[in-house]
Amino acid sequence: MNTRWQVSVYLWLCVSCVGIAMNASYAAQENNEYVPIERAKQQAFSKPKSALISRAVFNKEQPVESVLLSPDGLKMSYVIKENKRKQLWVYDIALDKHVKLITAHNLENLSWTADSNRLVYVDAKRVVFVGLSKQQLAQTRYRLSDANTLFVKTDSYNPDAFWLLKYDVSQSMYSLIKVDSHSNLKKDSHFKRNSDEQSDSHSHSKSDSHSKSDSHSNESIQYRSPLPIMNFWADKKAVRFVSLMGNDYQSIVQLLADGEREIIKCEVFDTCKIHHWSAQTHTLLLSGQIDNDTATLHAINTKTGIKKAITTENSPPFDASQFFVSPEGKPFLLGYETQYVHYEALTPNAEALLNRLTSRISDNIYRFTPDKSLTHWLVAEEDQQSGNVHFRLYLAESDTWISPLSHIEPSQTDATWSALRVPIQYQASDGMPLFGYLTLPSGYKASEVPLVVFPHGGPWNRSHGSYNRISQFMANRGYAVFEPNFRGSTGMGQAYMTSAQRDFGNGRVQQDIIDSVDYLLENGVGRADRLAIVGHSFGGFSAINALAFTPDKFSVAFAAAAPNNMSDTIRHYKSSIPAVFLPMRLPRFSALMGDITNRQDVSYLYEQSPDKHWQNIDKPLYMWAGAQDDRVAIEDVREFALRLHADGKAISLVSDAREGHSPNSSLAKDGYLYLLERALFSHLHGRMEEKMTPSLTRYFDKFTSIDTNGVSN
């Protein structure tokens, strides 16, 4: 059902986002189980040693992205990258025909219109409608006025309408706006709305449940609130439900003719997405944790208040992350990202369909996305050995499979160099069971190879069961790699996430990471005299933490886009992002990490940070940073590196003036991997592709700010 929307709450990208990856990946396994370490060690040792694979292989990009099935299931759109531009294509299933529509710099918020006859995207603040033939020109239907006006989605009923969320900074007021762009097009194909043109008649109080329109703009404010509108549900006539973010909780509110009624409260860190409402049965379908530890779909009777969690006896102890509802508004299918993947059928028809879908899925990573009627399904499979993504269509009515993109997708190859990667469970020093993913180099005794611990970013994120190019890269160089899902990680339920108890820095979360290393060493994985810690964003913070608080444990650390004091990073993030996002995200930061307006919280974060304890660092540190990073201030990174350098510590800093939080260009990605490779090779003595291209040499000459480690030597 395409009637839901939610602004992302994660402030930092996980390291897997450095490359091109699926937005959400699931690895197909018959049994979602943890693998015993001894079995993994034997399997990895029995494989032949792999050849040294070029960095370029690990940096390769997928040729196709943003694949979308139309609401009627008869067409599929996709994007092909062409240098720095993107081509938008459409495939007609009945005609078996591909048509190139446009080429643009950006295709943000790409989505289908309700009638499946056009595509909509945002580029340079323009909302653009694109017809499905070369004869139909792309038409600018609207221009977003500023950074605090967000395109939300196309309307589920009117093919000319779409939704915006606007934040008025002067009034501290959010407005949910519906725009009917049909007459905008008649008047001006490059229609632009300025804030000065908006009539005072648009000003509604929070309790207004009916929309008012400006005859000149065809915009109607459907709802206003001083609280952030996180998501909403609307039928053909009006908005019926909204989710509002408060300082202490989220409220799911029903909008009635005579006012508003709160249906349920959710924790600020719960997703609480509205999926469907039936006026006949008064049933609201809402996903989230709510009264459960793990997220699932909930049916709430809005008249009686009775709620029921929709689970089965086979539901795994993980948060459901995909929710499929039938056209009649009945729960149909749930998707879970477990150690690998699990789909749970909720009806006999869903079970029959799921059996047909999974019967043609190999042991790869996959994700299902249906059309509106749940009859045509887009299946995205990612090869767990190579990371290549393949898209297929399943037409349930005729039990037919189609591979429409086989002519441009990478061929199915046997990536014999790929290392074994398995989920393992371990116990933290305080007894809590945790898990992560272990990657072992092929053909080596696990006890004889160096060990790299690789904590994910976020921190409210997780390591997945999918292909991880950085882990595979390090394993190819001869290192065992472990990605711990420390407490605070998401996807494993509320208790797993909140048990961090805001104890970041040199606290419980960092101890979970150290405990994973100790567990592996005790079980014959890695050498205690050759340990490294590698991370990006929050993972980079953890890497610097390790050198500051456990200086005798690791031989070297690699930290990319890394904060050194979380309170400073939150302040920078607060000052660098559009104001529209702040009230949405800060309550979750306050609940899960710390309130930067509270002196005690700020002091605690500083006392537990490497910013305070930097003098303890006595092992080599390699850092990469993007000067355009809007999450981690480049000034803080440089000041920290200069402080270490002035004290005679071994520090290298590569600061790319053109990049943001993660490397984006091919050259920056190559430089990123080379810096990581050099750090591990110099101190753990694995393998290395030492040859530097002239362009890579120039890259380091240009962007290396500090280098006492001899990166380019």
Side-chain angles (χ1 to χ4, degrees), residues 197-491:
E197 298 175 306
Q198 294 184 356
S199 168
D200 290 339
S201 65
H202 280 188
S203 298
H204 291 60
S205 68
K206 179 181 172 182
S207 61
D208 287 338
S209 60
H210 299 289
S211 65
K212 297 181 181 179
S213 298
D214 185 321
S215 60
H216 298 293
S217 69
N218 299 288
E219 300 176 35
S220 58
I221 296 181
Q222 299 288 307
Y223 184 73
R224 298 190 80 206
S225 171
L227 298 177
I229 304 167
M230 301 302 290
N231 58 85
F232 68 97
W233 190 89
D235 58 20
K236 290 182 179 180
K237 295 181 179 180
V239 176
R240 302 300 183 184
F241 293 88
V242 293
S243 174
L244 304 176
M245 173 65 76
N247 289 327
D248 302 314
Y249 56 84
Q250 296 179 74
S251 293
I252 305 300
V253 176
Q254 184 176 15
L255 308 184
L256 303 168
D258 57 351
E260 301 178 2
R261 184 160 65 98
E262 185 178 77
I263 300 300
I264 196 170
K265 286 184 172 69
C266 303
E267 299 283 359
V268 293
F269 43 75
D270 198 352
T271 51
C272 277
K273 293 182 182 178
I274 306 165
H275 292 266
H276 189 270
W277 180 63
S278 170
Q280 289 72 31
T281 63
H282 306 286
T283 301
L284 177 68
L285 294 180
L286 181 72
S287 66
Q289 293 163 341
I290 307 180
D291 295 333
N292 285 18
D293 179 55
T294 54
T296 188
L297 202 59
H298 299 260
I300 303 174
N301 188 300
T302 57
K303 196 170 185 179
T304 65
I306 296 174
K307 57 182 179 292
K308 177 184 178 182
I310 299 172
T311 59
T312 73
E313 60 183 13
N314 296 320
S315 296
F318 289 81
D319 292 326
S321 53
Q322 282 187 289
F323 308 90
F324 302 105
V325 178
S326 73
E328 299 76 31
K330 303 294 184 182
F332 187 77
L333 191 68
L334 297 177
Y336 298 83
E337 186 173 6
T338 58
Q339 299 94 328
Y340 294 105
V341 68
H342 180 82
Y343 279 94
E344 192 71 24
L346 301 177
T347 70
N349 287 340
E351 184 174 5
L353 174 67
L354 187 58
N355 287 336
R356 294 199 301 272
L357 282 169
T358 55
S359 67
R360 296 287 294 272
I361 299 294
S362 58
D363 189 13
N364 296 327
I365 299 158
Y366 69 92
R367 180 180 174 88
F368 300 144
T369 307
D371 64 7
K372 192 172 183 178
S373 65
L374 305 183
T375 55
H376 291 180
W377 292 73
L378 174 65
V379 180
E381 293 184 78
E382 183 180 286
D383 187 284
Q384 205 167 1
Q385 289 190 312
S386 67
N388 292 333
V389 181
H390 300 271
F391 295 92
R392 290 190 290 165
L393 292 171
Y394 177 65
L395 314 183
E397 293 173 329
S398 58
D399 194 25
T400 303
W401 287 84
I402 302 173
S403 299
L405 301 180
S406 58
H407 61 294
I408 52 177
E409 291 174 338
S411 59
Q412 292 279 13
T413 58
D414 186 14
T416 56
W417 49 264
S418 181
L420 178 71
R421 184 170 183 268
V422 296
I424 66 166
Q425 194 169 40
Y426 71 100
Q427 193 173 68
S429 54
D430 65 352
M432 181 170 173
L434 303 170
F435 91 101
Y437 294 89
L438 176 64
T439 305
L440 292 172
S442 302
Y444 291 87
K445 287 186 177 180
S447 61
E448 297 178 358
V449 298
L451 172 62
V452 179
V453 62
F454 182 24
H456 62 72
W460 304 293
N461 209 318
R462 62 162 287 186
S463 290
H464 311 275
S466 57
Y467 176 87
N468 187 302
R469 70 183 188 93
I470 303 291
S471 292
Q472 289 292 339
F473 172 71
M474 291 189 286
N476 182 259
R477 271 39 181 173
Y479 311 108
V481 183
F482 187 65
E483 305 160 54
N485 277 318
F486 45 80
R487 69 195 76 188
S489 300
T490 56

Side-chain angles (χ1 to χ4, degrees), residues 627-651:
Q628 306 303 316
D629 195 335
D630 62 354
R631 295 168 173 83
V632 178
I634 188 63
E635 294 82 4
D636 291 346
V637 175
R638 287 172 177 162
E639 189 279 329
F640 185 77
L642 287 169
R643 204 188 317 165
L644 296 183
H645 183 249
D647 200 50
K649 299 183 184 297
I651 173 71

Side-chain angles (χ1 to χ4, degrees), residues 18 535-537 540 544 558-564 572 621-641 651-665 668-669 671-673 675-676 699-700 702-706:
V18 173
H536 188 101
S537 195
I544 302 175
F558 174 88
N564 54 72
H572 170 70
L621 174 61
Y622 294 70
M623 302 183 73
W624 181 95
Q628 306 303 316
D629 195 335
D630 62 354
R631 295 168 173 83
V632 178
I634 188 63
E635 294 82 4
D636 291 346
V637 175
R638 287 172 177 162
E639 189 279 329
F640 185 77
I651 173 71
S652 295
L653 171 62
V654 175
S655 176
D656 192 324
R658 300 169 298 192
E659 298 294 330
H661 192 61
S662 300
N664 184 54
S665 70
K669 290 178 182 178
Y672 185 102
L673 285 191
L675 183 64
L676 169 59
Y699 177 87
F700 280 100
K702 184 174 183 179
F703 296 127
T704 301
S705 302
I706 304 171

Side-chain angles (χ1 to χ4, degrees), residues 30 86 455:
E30 290 185 0
K86 296 182 177 182

